[in-house]
Amino acid sequence: MEEHLLNEFEEFGLTPNKRVLEKCIELLKKYEITPDTLVNHWIGYAATKLNDEAPSLENMILFEKDLSKELSAKTKVKSEPLSTSSKFSTRNNAGEVVVKYPADDAVINWTRSNETWEPDIQLHGTAETKLTTKYNYMFSRLRDKFDVLEEQINDLGDLVKRKLGIDDFDPNSVLKSETFHTIGRICCDATSGSRLNTSSLLLEGTRNTSSGQSVPLDVSQLREFSFFPGQVVAVEGSNPTGKKMVVTSVTTPPINPVLKTDVSIEGRGPLNVMVACGPFTLPDDLEFAPLVEFIQQVNALLPHLVIIMGPFVDVKNKKVECGDLDYTYQEQFDIVMKELQSKITNSVQVCIIPSWRDVHYRTVYPTPPFPQENKAPNFNFFSDPCVLNVNGIFIALTSTDILFHLSKEEIAVTPHGSDRLGRLVSHLFSQQSFYPLNPPSEEMSIDLEQAEDHCKLSFTPHLLFVPSDLRHFIKNVSGCVVVNMERAVKGFCGGTYSRLQITGEGSSVQIKAEIVRL
């Protein structure tokens, strides 16, 4: 158990001492959780409460109080085990507001003010025609993948050149004692370890500028930095030996401003929205009690728009993993969709977003929208990721946990007290991508050619939903309201969902939001 726990911490570049590990093992036994669950909770807690401090015996004591509250668990007494449905039904914190934006005491009236108005929901960007037709995903030629990555560097490089006010970049491996600028993609030197660190930093140059060569980076002179594999950056520095570049400054692509649009909800009352992300059933059953509870909340509040993101039939569910099902994967999914379409009131517009974790569907990212045969008139099916235009309000969303994946790979030196979660989000805006990490997480299968059309985030939206296993938050990042409402299920307890109230006139948009326990 200790070795497993240590491996989980090392995934995030942490090496706790023996006393801390002993405390962690005590927590594992006390709350009957796995090492990865404990470490994931710690990463979220440290990022939001401790400014990414390393684990110590002192802050572990504080962490336990937060963990206990988060799991809604007390020390378990040996008794007859509860059925999973009763575990969910006996939760005592349903309806608790855990995050509010803005963080004031104003009471939000969630009653739908205009019962007859239906928002106009349109997909923004490239049509999903290519995704919905049959194609051999993950069959891209190596040369085609290279061309996609090369084009990304060139496109972002043009933006950086304008930002720096320079005409062109120099080759990265040129022997030069004077400072110069070059462009490339951050990579990891596998000979220096499997995980990115200051000793394994490489900058892979473009074919036109650097003949595709990679150069090691010496970042010892930088007071602060933030790198992850796949990140496109321009670096300034010298290369006195021709073998290593001594970096003096790093420039990331500029973040585009929020798109100015004509918002058309004035006079129709505020736009009320509810958003939840799967899984929607407990890890060891397929009873979908949390989904039933969410439907009840939707019908009680009657928002104009509900966004429901997968997974619906989760590949990580224990019954799915062991094949203990009464139906096929597709039949189980059809049951879930029938429940949603028959129970949610017709006056509520519903957007369904798939997940690569949906076991019955295509395990590829970007994930095509679900087939739309026999869908209810108020249901809309879109791909993961996507950008929706709702009466001039641009809502970007993905069911894939890019924040958690980035947090495992990013290395950073930043001022004490800096906003780590906000920084992770800003990478998406700067790199203009829903998934800028390359290579991706081991659990992901990304089709780069499809991603070129469907994973771009070429402007800053009004709203961005990035559900994650990291701790929930709502924050303004570069003018965009970013929401991580976590998931509808967390362990064997109810998770969280978000509800929002949006008003606007002309190009101005105001957003109020809450994250609520299910």
Side-chain angles (χ1 to χ4, degrees), residues 460-472:
T460 304
H462 299 103
L463 263 169
L464 172 64
F465 291 98
V466 279
S468 173
D469 289 333
L470 296 179
R471 190 175 178 85
H472 46 245

Side-chain angles (χ1 to χ4, degrees), residues 14-25:
L14 300 171
T15 309
N17 61 41
K18 189 162 185 66
R19 293 183 66 192
V20 170
L21 287 176
E22 289 173 352
K23 178 64 177 178
C24 290
I25 291 172

Side-chain angles (χ1 to χ4, degrees), residues 12 36-37 39-45 70 277-279 316 357 399-405 407 421 443 466-473 484-491:
F12 294 93
D36 61 320
T37 298
V39 173
N40 289 346
H41 276 288
W42 167 259
I43 294 299
Y45 177 77
E70 191 70 27
C277 182
K316 297 183 179 182
R357 283 170 52 178
S399 62
T400 298
D401 197 347
I402 177 57
L403 297 187
F404 185 70
H405 294 170
S407 71
L421 294 174
E443 64 182 10
V466 279
S468 173
D469 289 333
L470 296 179
R471 190 175 178 85
H472 46 245
F473 65 82
N484 166 24
M485 60 287 189
E486 294 191 45
R487 302 183 184 276
V489 170
K490 193 163 187 179

Side-chain angles (χ1 to χ4, degrees), residues 265-493:
I265 59 174
E266 180 67 19
R268 301 174 181 177
L271 172 67
N272 288 353
V273 182
M274 291 175 66
V275 186
C277 182
F280 293 97
T281 191
L282 301 189
D284 61 352
D285 75 24
L286 290 171
E287 297 177 11
F288 291 93
L291 180 65
V292 173
E293 174 65 25
F294 181 68
I295 292 173
Q296 291 174 353
Q297 294 300 317
V298 169
N299 289 337
L301 295 177
L302 295 178
H304 299 92
L305 173 63
V306 173
I307 300 173
I308 307 177
M309 294 187 264
F312 297 92
V313 185
D314 190 6
V315 70
K316 297 183 179 182
N317 184 280
K318 291 179 181 178
K319 280 188 172 287
V320 172
E321 286 180 340
C322 67
D324 182 16
L325 292 92
D326 297 325
Y327 306 95
T328 66
Y329 297 149
Q330 183 63 50
E331 288 170 344
Q332 185 68 66
F333 173 75
D334 290 342
I335 291 171
V336 173
M337 282 297 111
K338 183 178 180 180
E339 180 77 8
L340 287 168
Q341 298 192 63
S342 63
K343 296 295 177 62
I344 292 181
T345 306
N346 292 337
S347 62
V348 176
Q349 291 294 308
V350 182
C351 293
I352 300 292
I353 310 298
S355 166
W356 66 268
R357 283 170 52 178
D358 279 302
V359 70
H360 76 289
Y361 205 49
R362 305 181 193 176
T363 56
V364 66
Y365 188 82
T367 310
F370 293 131
Q372 303 191 24
E373 295 90 351
N374 304 317
K375 77 176 184 68
N378 60 320
F379 272 66
N380 308 273
F381 293 83
F382 298 103
S383 62
D384 175 34
C386 65
V387 179
L388 303 181
N389 180 351
V390 183
N391 291 83
I393 299 163
F394 286 88
I395 303 175
L397 43 92
T398 179
S399 62
T400 298
D401 197 347
I402 177 57
L403 297 187
F404 185 70
H405 294 170
L406 275 176
S407 71
K408 292 180 70 172
E409 301 297 335
E410 183 204 40
I411 60 169
V413 173
T414 57
H416 182 73
S418 63
D419 180 7
R420 179 171 182 256
L421 294 174
R423 184 178 71 245
L424 294 176
V425 172
S426 69
H427 288 319
L428 309 189
F429 296 148
S430 175
Q431 299 295 304
Q432 299 189 12
S433 171
F434 280 100
Y435 201 95
L437 187 63
N438 188 2
S441 169
E442 289 181 355
E443 64 182 10
M444 294 288 293
S445 298
I446 294 186
D447 189 301
L448 283 178
E449 290 184 277
Q450 296 287 358
E452 184 180 22
D453 292 327
H454 299 283
C455 294
K456 285 185 176 178
L457 193 56
S458 54
F459 64 93
T460 304
H462 299 103
L463 263 169
L464 172 64
F465 291 98
V466 279
S468 173
D469 289 333
L470 296 179
R471 190 175 178 85
H472 46 245
F473 65 82
I474 307 174
K475 57 181 63 195
N476 189 307
V477 180
S478 301
C480 173
V481 176
V482 183
V483 182
N484 166 24
M485 60 287 189
E486 294 191 45
R487 302 183 184 276
V489 170
K490 193 163 187 179
F492 289 92
C493 304

